């Protein structure tokens, strides 16, 4: 735990050092999530990568589950085929105290149906196919919408963006969290220097013991640097977990 906290502090100091230019958020896409596709901290959102952009991202979550400390390592790569079509892949390794690890991975796809303009929200659909260890194998489809409300483009609070969506997942019948449907609601406050304060909450599906939620910060720099730091409750853990991620976008 001390080593992970040290990594978090180092990454946080790096994010402060590089976040020195103003920017507007390019859409409701966000950064790598616990579920894989970019979004809030747990749930994917509606935005897609712009055409020609490529991003590798990595995150780690530490939490306690049934008296065992679990380290959840996840990586994502994604490419904007067009401004409305994003393809990529994710890979996850779940590591336990006993040096026991499980792994899974697979493709992801997201389509943006509507842009955020005028009264119209941004709307997107997507899916993830994760294959590997039985308890990690999952097929997920999701739909999400978001809307940005400008406040003061040159002030401290630039804008507020609201997110909502639903995802449906399937796992093997003999897995504890076999199937579930989750709706979510989230929001972000856009501040200067590419800094966003983000929070979300999900409904508790039939396979979860607790209500999932998360809150923290995301840094999304115009030069491509990305950083995320949060506290989260995934729904199956005994207490709150720590979540940190980093990535970069290439044009």
């Amino acid at each position: 735990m001390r080593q992970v906290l040290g990594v978090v502090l180092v990454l946080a100091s790096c994010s402060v050092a590089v976040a020195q230019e103003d920017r507007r958020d390019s859409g409701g896409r966000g950064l790598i999530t616990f579920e894989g596709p970019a979004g809030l901290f747990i749930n994917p959102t509606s935005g897609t990568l712009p055409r020609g952009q490529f991003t590798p991202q990595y995150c780690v979550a530490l939490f306690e589950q049934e008296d065992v400390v679990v380290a959840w390592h996840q990586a994502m790569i994604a490419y904007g085929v067009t401004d409305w079509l994003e393809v990529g892949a994710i890979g996850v390794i779940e590591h336990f105290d006993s040096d026991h690890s499980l792994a899974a991975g697979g493709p992801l796809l997201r389509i943006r149906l509507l842009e955020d303009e005028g009264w119209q929200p941004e709307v997107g659909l997507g899916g993830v196919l994760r294959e590997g260890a039985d308890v990690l194998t999952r097929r997920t489809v999701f739909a999400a919408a978001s809307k940005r409300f400008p406040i003061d483009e040159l002030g401290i609070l630039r804008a507020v963006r609201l997110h909502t969506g639903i995802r449906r997942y399937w796992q093997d019948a003999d897995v504890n969290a076999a199937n579930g449907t989750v709706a979510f609601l989230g929001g972000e406050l856009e501040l200067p220097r590419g800094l966003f304060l983000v929070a979300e909450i999900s409904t508790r599906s039939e396979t979860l013991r607790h209500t999932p939620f998360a809150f923290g910060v995301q840094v999304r720099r115009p030069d491509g640097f990305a950083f995320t730091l949060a506290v989260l409750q995934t729904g199956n853990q005994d207490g709150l977990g720590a979540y940190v991620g980093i990535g970069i976008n290439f044009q």
Side-chain angles (χ1 to χ4, degrees):
M1 179 67 77
R2 291 180 180 176
Q3 292 178 339
V4 173
L5 290 177
V7 172
V8 169
L9 291 175
V10 170
L11 291 176
S13 63
C14 289
S15 71
V16 173
V18 299
Q20 296 178 355
E21 294 180 11
D22 291 348
R23 64 156 294 180
R24 268 193 62 177
D25 187 20
S26 59
R29 184 173 180 275
L31 304 177
I32 185 171
T33 63
F34 188 80
E35 287 295 321
L40 301 167
F41 300 116
I42 300 174
N43 294 288
T45 50
S46 56
T48 52
L49 272 177
R51 179 178 180 180
Q53 282 198 15
F54 170 77
T55 181
Q57 298 189 25
Y58 164 81
C59 68
V60 59
L62 279 182
F63 52 89
E64 188 174 1
Q65 183 173 330
E66 298 178 353
D67 297 325
V68 175
V69 175
V70 177
W72 179 277
H73 301 271
Q74 187 154 248
M76 173 194 73
I77 57 172
Y79 177 73
V81 180
T82 70
D83 285 338
W84 53 267
L85 174 61
E86 175 184 324
V87 298
I90 63 166
V92 59
I93 297 177
E94 190 175 22
H95 181 74
F96 301 88
D97 273 347
S98 60
D99 293 328
H100 179 55
S101 296
L102 303 172
L108 66 87
L109 179 144
R110 176 161 35 195
I111 298 172
R112 190 188 65 201
L113 301 179
L114 297 175
E115 291 188 58
D116 180 0
E117 54 184 9
W119 59 267
Q120 176 180 281
E122 182 179 72
V123 177
L125 302 174
V128 183
L129 177 61
R130 195 173 71 197
E131 298 285 344
D134 288 344
V135 295
L136 296 182
T137 295
R138 174 180 287 191
R139 299 94 185 176
T140 302
V141 294
F142 64 89
S146 75
K147 182 64 181 174
R148 183 179 186 270
F149 299 94
I151 304 297
D152 183 353
E153 301 294 358
L154 299 178
I156 299 299
L157 179 58
R158 303 295 174 85
V160 174
R161 182 181 285 275
L162 300 180
H163 297 271
T164 188
I166 188 170
R167 56 183 169 86
R168 172 71 179 173
Y169 59 88
W170 296 266
Q171 292 185 238
D172 294 336
D174 58 347
V175 175
N176 290 333
N179 304 298
T181 301
V182 172
F184 66 89
L185 180 67
E188 55 186 73
L189 303 180
E190 181 181 343
L191 305 178
R193 300 183 177 181
L195 179 65
F196 297 81
L197 304 182
V198 182
E200 67 182 303
I201 188 168
S202 302
T203 58
R204 180 179 169 185
S205 75
E206 58 272 26
T207 63
L208 298 177
R209 293 182 293 158
H210 307 285
T211 299
F213 68 90
F215 57 90
V217 299
Q218 292 185 359
V219 174
R220 309 175 206 155
R221 293 272 296 132
D223 57 12
F225 176 85
F227 172 81
T228 184
L229 176 64
V231 173
L232 82 168
Q233 163 60 259
T234 64
N236 280 321
Q237 65 197 60
D238 297 329
L240 297 179
Y243 181 90
V244 61
I246 193 167
I248 190 167
N249 284 11
F250 297 96
Q251 182 63 47

